[in-house]
Amino acid sequence: MAKADISVIIPSKNNKKKTSEIIDKLSSENENIRMEFIVIDMNSTDGGMLEALNMIKKKSLLGYVIQSGGGTVSSALNTGIYKASGTYITFVYPSRLYKNYISEYYSLAVERDADFIFAAPETNEGNRILISDGVTGTDISVALIRSSITMDFTAVMFKRDFLINNDVLFYEDCRIGYAEAFIYNVLLRSPKVAFSKIKPERDYTNEAVKDAGSDVGNNCFERLEAMIRVFSAAREYQKDDKVLLEALEYEKLPSVIMKCVDKLLSEGFSASSIKKLMKNKGYDRYLDFSRYTTPALRNKILLWKTVPWFYRP
């Protein structure tokens, strides 16, 4: 039997008192829920982990601090999944904090025995998709790709057994786009979903300042690498879903590529150097379109392929 209703997994590095403050705030806001706090220490040197541990002890909470070393955030999150004892799991990022959503999500999870809980702010098309009978994970995937619904990938909740039984983990070598890829991989395994109509609200007051990482240059293609792996998984788990496969191949992948192109051009890379990089990596074979591709993206692809020196982000 699980010891906690929800395991809150918090990857943290040099956030000083912020992590302990987050634990204090979440535990106070959700006193009716048995919560477990798993703080993954990613080589902190500022004493913040001791503060977090002291807060857990001070409030007699379930939880502990785990040393994760200097690996990726993805690796830290996977460690949390394995160590969690809660029936449900949510991930809390100190640098991207949201105001109270956990209680509502948990109520939905229990009421509907859901595997995956998220927020989908109201839109006419999005509501039509989500309230339709028999909505599936692949329906939601296609809606995300086509922007019919939106989802914040860092304000979600999962049934832990679903993740473990379906072997869904973060790509540990991925530093950019790992949360997005994780969500798609969950949806590919046909979870029972529940959604809230609330719009998650960022808590800028209490969140930590994001460390300026290396989300520049060639690293932007890490998101593409992750989505290529998602596409491969889709062909394995949903091989008969032509709509999903078309959406991934002719909308999602080329869209990610063109965003990388835009980013690199804005950072001063030449069109010729970008094209050479894409060819060497084999990325250009994913830059294709079909009748399912949105007109705006199709036009961008055509311009980039035919007259790249005229292309502008």
Side-chain angles (χ1 to χ4, degrees):
M1 181 180 294
K3 292 189 296 183
D5 298 323
I6 300 174
S7 293
V8 180
I9 300 171
I10 310 174
S12 184
K13 180 178 181 179
N14 292 337
N15 290 317
K16 298 182 180 179
K17 293 184 177 182
K18 283 293 182 181
T19 302
S20 64
E21 291 171 354
I22 289 169
I23 293 170
D24 186 22
K25 183 173 184 293
L26 292 181
S27 62
S28 297
E29 289 175 347
N30 300 281
E31 291 182 344
N32 60 326
I33 300 174
R34 189 165 173 79
M35 303 180 79
E36 172 186 57
F37 293 91
I38 302 177
V39 182
I40 312 296
D41 176 19
M42 302 178 65
N43 276 355
S44 295
T45 58
D46 63 355
M49 293 302 96
L50 182 59
E51 294 273 359
L53 188 58
N54 286 339
M55 180 60 68
I56 291 171
K57 291 180 178 179
K58 175 184 175 182
K59 301 194 74 172
S60 300
L61 302 170
L62 290 174
Y64 40 88
V65 174
I66 300 173
Q67 302 295 325
S68 178
T72 61
V73 176
S74 300
S75 176
L77 296 174
N78 285 341
T79 298
I81 291 173
Y82 282 123
K83 295 292 186 181
S85 74
T87 302
Y88 287 90
I89 288 174
T90 191
F91 305 103
V92 172
Y93 302 79
S95 62
R96 192 174 178 85
L97 201 61
Y98 285 87
K99 294 183 179 179
N100 194 2
Y101 68 92
I102 290 177
S103 179
E104 161 128 356
Y105 279 24
Y106 181 66
S107 295
L108 280 170
V110 173
E111 176 188 341
R112 303 181 188 180
D113 189 29
D115 301 312
F116 175 41
I117 306 91
F118 64 98
E122 292 193 33
T123 63
N124 290 336
E125 177 66 10
N127 289 346
R128 183 190 67 77
I129 292 166
L130 292 171
I131 66 175
S132 61
D133 291 336
V135 63
T136 66
T138 55
D139 292 332
I140 296 171
S141 295
V142 172
L144 285 171
I145 293 168
R146 294 177 174 172
S147 300
S148 300
I149 63 172
T150 60
M151 182 189 302
D152 196 300
F153 299 129
T154 56
V156 287
M157 188 176 289
F158 310 90
K159 183 177 285 185
R160 181 181 182 273
D161 282 352
F162 179 85
L163 300 180
I164 298 299
N165 293 339
N166 288 278
D167 197 28
V168 182
L169 294 170
F170 291 88
Y171 296 142
E172 295 205 352
D173 55 349
C174 181
R175 292 169 292 173
I176 301 170
Y178 56 85
E180 177 186 33
F182 182 81
I183 296 296
Y184 278 108
N185 276 319
V186 169
L187 293 171
L188 289 176
R189 271 70 170 187
S190 303
K192 186 175 181 180
V193 300
F195 75 99
S196 168
K197 295 180 181 179
I198 65 170
K199 180 177 176 59
E201 185 180 352
R202 284 283 292 276
D203 189 354
Y204 293 102
T205 302
N206 293 299
E207 69 182 23
V209 177
K210 185 176 182 180
D211 181 30
S214 58
D215 186 5
V216 295
N218 296 351
N219 287 344
C220 70
F221 282 112
E222 287 189 14
R223 182 183 176 215
L224 175 61
E225 292 278 5
M227 289 310 305
I228 290 172
R229 290 159 75 175
V230 168
F231 181 45
S232 177
R235 288 185 290 189
E236 176 183 356
Y237 290 100
Q238 302 292 341
K239 61 183 178 181
D240 296 324
D241 194 326
K242 294 183 178 179
V243 173
L244 171 66
L245 297 179
E246 288 268 5
L248 283 166
E249 185 171 9
Y250 297 114
E251 183 68 28
K252 186 61 178 181
L253 289 175
S255 172
V256 173
I257 291 174
M258 292 312 301
K259 286 178 181 177
C260 286
V261 168
D262 290 350
K263 183 173 181 61
L264 292 171
L265 287 172
S266 69
E267 292 173 356
F269 289 83
S270 67
S272 60
S273 65
I274 297 171
K275 278 187 165 290
K276 183 178 179 180
L277 171 64
M278 289 174 57
K279 183 177 180 180
N280 290 341
K281 295 286 189 178
Y283 297 148
D284 49 358
R285 73 176 181 269
Y286 297 105
L287 192 58
D288 204 354
F289 58 87
S290 73
R291 61 192 177 93
Y292 294 99
T293 310
T294 55
L297 178 58
R298 183 176 63 246
N299 291 339
K300 286 175 67 109
I301 294 170
L302 282 170
L303 186 60
W304 172 252
K305 281 189 164 184
T306 56
V307 283
W309 49 89
F310 284 137
Y311 180 85
R312 296 291 181 272

